[in-house]
Amino acid sequence: MNPQLPLNGIRVLDLTRLLPGPVATMHLADMGAEVIKIEDPGAGDYARVMGPVRNEVSQFFVAVNRGKRMMRLDLKDAAHREQLLAMVETADVLVESFRPGVMDKLGLGWQTLKQRNPKLVMCAISGYGQDGPFAQLAGHDINYIGYAGMLDQNAGADGVPVLPNLQVGDLLGGAQSALQGILAALVAVKMGGAGRFVDVSMTDAVLAHNLMPLVAVNNGAAAQPGRDLLSGGVPCYNVYRTADGRYMAVGALELKFWQGCCDVLGRPDLKTRHWQLGQQVGGEDAMALKDELSAIFATRTLAQWTEAFAPADCCVSPVLRTEEALLHPLFAARGMVARHRHETEGESWALAQPVRFQP
């Protein structure tokens, strides 16, 4: 533990598995908390065998469990349950991701835990919340973002939803919302309040952040796939294929950036064709201009366009592959990426905590 980090001295008991809970508790560890990851004596966290296993565990497990102390307990065993309850007495936070009601059946529900430690913050991460008609249903990221209306809008012009490789429900809905709730409850405790039970529904959290489609509905109707302001409905905010089959990301949403982009493209005549000057979002003129830009970007390679746009501060950048991002000077300068040696799994890339603290 680093005494300079803000959560130094906070003890967290982590009963979670797979992605949302482990990422949330990993970030707590990154911020200085002591995190004890508790798994059953058998297979343990399913993430241990998800994807290729080098020696003992998968790279998936390594990636989301750094900085934690590992422990095995059988929560169906009375002696092991009592051992956990004893640990609760000195803990600040307990995080679990079982289906609603499982902790109660184990004799480890909120009413029991808060009697042992009235200052405890308990966070339960679930797909659909602790109550409601879907509380007992199984689900994964694809289901959560589907119910929340996000997956429908994450589609190309053909209307077919595209599965993002950033798990929005698990990471925004689960990990980040859990962090938000845990830290808010800890602040309340540190101000003299009682402990809290934090109920995190991953589906609720995605719905709560599905803002642009909500704006469209409030304006009359949800946009057609690929036709909203930030989903492909304007040529100034889009991706374009280059001569070598790569892509450039054009984020010239504001008029001044669009005008700078047009200068680099050698097409100053396009400066007036912008949504802030009356171009209809998702309209025929916007789609026609998008086709024009596609033809322009197809004339040069990714490297050539990257070099051309480098001096112009107009929000146009290359779409990097993951292996390129890991080596990019942007992240090297910030210390975001490092080679990390795991005890049994050897060397691999590791990502740093993105939130920085200075004394």
Side-chain angles (χ1 to χ4, degrees), residues 157-168:
D158 61 1
V160 179
V162 178
L163 293 178
N165 204 16
L166 177 69
Q167 287 67 43
V168 177

Side-chain angles (χ1 to χ4, degrees), residues 67-319:
K68 304 177 188 180
R69 181 153 61 92
M70 307 295 174
M71 185 176 184
R72 298 279 187 158
L73 288 178
D74 181 359
L75 299 182
K76 295 180 181 179
D77 179 86
H80 285 202
R81 279 199 305 275
E82 187 55 42
Q83 188 176 347
L84 178 66
L85 288 169
M87 295 170 68
V88 163
E89 294 177 2
T90 59
D92 299 282
V93 180
L94 182 142
V95 190
E96 60 97 352
S97 58
F98 301 116
R99 291 201 203 193
V102 169
M103 289 290 282
D104 286 305
K105 290 178 182 178
L106 291 170
L108 298 169
W110 172 234
Q111 297 303 319
T112 299
L113 297 187
K114 73 176 183 178
Q115 287 181 4
R116 297 294 285 256
N117 182 355
K119 295 291 186 180
L120 182 73
V121 172
M122 178 179 180
C123 178
I125 304 171
S126 64
Y128 306 107
Q130 295 298 299
D131 53 21
F134 284 15
Q136 293 301 319
L137 291 185
H140 280 298
D141 190 270
I142 191 172
N143 309 116
Y144 312 145
I145 64 178
Y147 275 120
M150 178 265 167
L151 185 55
D152 171 74
Q153 288 290 303
N154 197 59
D158 61 1
V160 179
V162 178
L163 293 178
N165 204 16
L166 177 69
Q167 287 67 43
V168 177
D170 287 346
L171 298 174
L172 166 67
Q176 289 301 121
S177 296
L179 277 174
Q180 173 185 323
I182 290 167
L183 294 175
L186 280 174
V187 169
V189 169
K190 295 305 176 185
M191 293 177 66
R196 309 286 176 98
F197 180 83
V198 181
D199 172 7
V200 174
S201 159
M202 290 184 268
T203 309
D204 285 356
V206 177
L207 179 66
H209 289 87
N210 202 29
L211 295 176
M212 295 305 290
L214 174 66
V215 170
V217 169
N218 285 338
N219 283 332
Q224 296 179 25
R227 293 289 184 105
D228 206 353
L229 181 64
L230 301 182
S231 65
V234 289
C236 64
Y237 197 88
N238 237 299
V239 291
Y240 295 96
R241 189 180 179 93
T242 61
D244 54 345
R246 301 292 300 278
Y247 291 90
M248 294 292 291
V250 175
L253 197 61
E254 294 87 346
L255 180 59
K256 63 179 180 179
F257 295 140
W258 171 245
Q259 292 172 339
C261 175
C262 292
D263 285 334
V264 176
L265 294 175
R267 292 292 304 273
D269 58 302
L270 301 179
K271 289 183 179 181
T272 58
R273 295 171 69 181
H274 187 267
W275 69 277
Q276 288 183 326
L277 298 177
Q279 183 185 66
Q280 181 185 358
V281 175
E284 295 311 310
D285 177 67
M287 295 300 100
L289 182 52
K290 180 179 173 182
D291 290 340
E292 282 192 63
L293 261 64
S294 293
I296 295 171
F297 275 99
T299 63
R300 301 190 198 180
T301 66
L302 180 86
Q304 290 170 330
W305 281 122
T306 300
E307 182 179 4
F309 276 101
D313 186 21
C314 61
C315 306
V316 179
S317 58
V319 175

